Amino acid sequence: MNKRVAAVVAAVAVLAVMAIVTLVQQGPAAEGVRLMRQADGSMVLADRGGDAPVLDLYEDFECPVCKELHSRVDDTIERLAREGKVKVVYHPVTIFQQEPSRSNSVRAAAAARCVPESNWLAFRDELYAMQPAPHGVASGFTVEELTAAARKAGAASAESCVTSQAYAEAHLRDTAGIRLEGTPTVMLDGRVLGNEVFDPAALEKAITGGDGVTV
């Protein structure tokens, strides 16, 4: 009987060691990649246990060049984040001071704060798809358009928050101290990137150090 007990104890010990080894081999990546909202309204897409370089993206949903950047490299940025190769921090800001662009921007950014994390990237896609044009002339991002976009992104629960513009003042307060020369502004570990941010291969090379092209 004692031999049998000893054998069982030994087997359990071996399994415990194997489990520990497995956890060590999995490392931080086992935490998983998710999108998280920060107190200032910024959104972080990253491996929670990873140690990847940080890509800060400052964008104004009213900004036509931000829309162009989104169309060119958004898929690349999201892929790299989901692969654990970069930590992306999205910073919605309002940079325009003239109307109707300023109010358009505030309504869109305030609405984005209402949308749950699980629907936020889809809602962001909708915002760029419906960006008012021509820029500087057209009024848009009405609460009716924004609530429709939220429903399309699967966030019907955010409708009352979007309609009331509950986060408009908080958005302006939280972004008032951000000093930018323009949008989009993209920073990699604190260093402002240039035209390479518009080219998927060049941006990936800047982030990972791998093969790419120079713009």
Side-chain angles (χ1 to χ4, degrees), residues 36-209:
M36 299 162 284
R37 176 174 277 114
Q38 307 302 294
D40 64 355
S42 61
M43 303 293 289
V44 180
L45 181 63
D47 182 338
R48 290 173 291 172
D51 189 26
V54 178
L55 189 77
D56 287 285
L57 170 56
Y58 294 87
E59 58 184 347
D60 190 321
F61 296 127
E62 168 73 5
C63 162
V65 185
C66 297
K67 179 178 181 178
E68 180 183 359
L69 180 72
H70 177 267
S71 67
R72 290 191 180 192
V73 299
D74 193 62
D75 289 345
T76 298
I77 291 174
E78 284 194 33
R79 173 177 57 78
L80 293 174
R82 297 189 190 283
E83 291 174 353
K85 295 178 180 178
V86 70
K87 173 182 177 180
V88 184
V89 186
Y90 302 94
H91 302 269
V93 298
T94 292
I95 194 169
F96 299 108
Q97 299 301 314
Q98 302 298 317
E99 297 293 352
S101 296
R102 180 175 175 80
S103 293
N104 289 348
S105 171
V106 173
R107 282 192 299 274
R113 286 207 187 190
C114 295
V115 173
E117 294 164 328
S118 58
N119 309 101
W120 191 83
L121 289 173
F123 183 70
R124 178 172 172 263
D125 289 342
E126 293 298 325
L127 290 178
Y128 280 124
M130 60 188 278
Q131 187 182 85
H135 172 69
V137 177
S139 294
F141 288 143
T142 65
V143 292
E144 292 81 11
E145 291 171 334
L146 292 168
T147 53
R151 289 193 297 270
K152 190 173 180 180
S157 61
E159 184 170 344
S160 62
C161 177
V162 173
T163 301
S164 67
Q165 287 285 281
Y167 288 104
E169 291 185 7
H171 165 71
L172 288 172
R173 181 181 64 249
D174 291 335
T175 62
I178 299 175
R179 296 289 178 259
L180 301 170
E181 293 186 3
T183 53
T185 292
V186 183
M187 303 174 68
L188 182 62
D189 284 339
R191 177 176 64 88
V192 178
L193 299 180
N195 289 335
E196 68 268 28
V197 300
F198 290 93
D199 182 273
L203 180 58
E204 182 166 356
K205 180 181 179 180
I207 292 171
T208 66

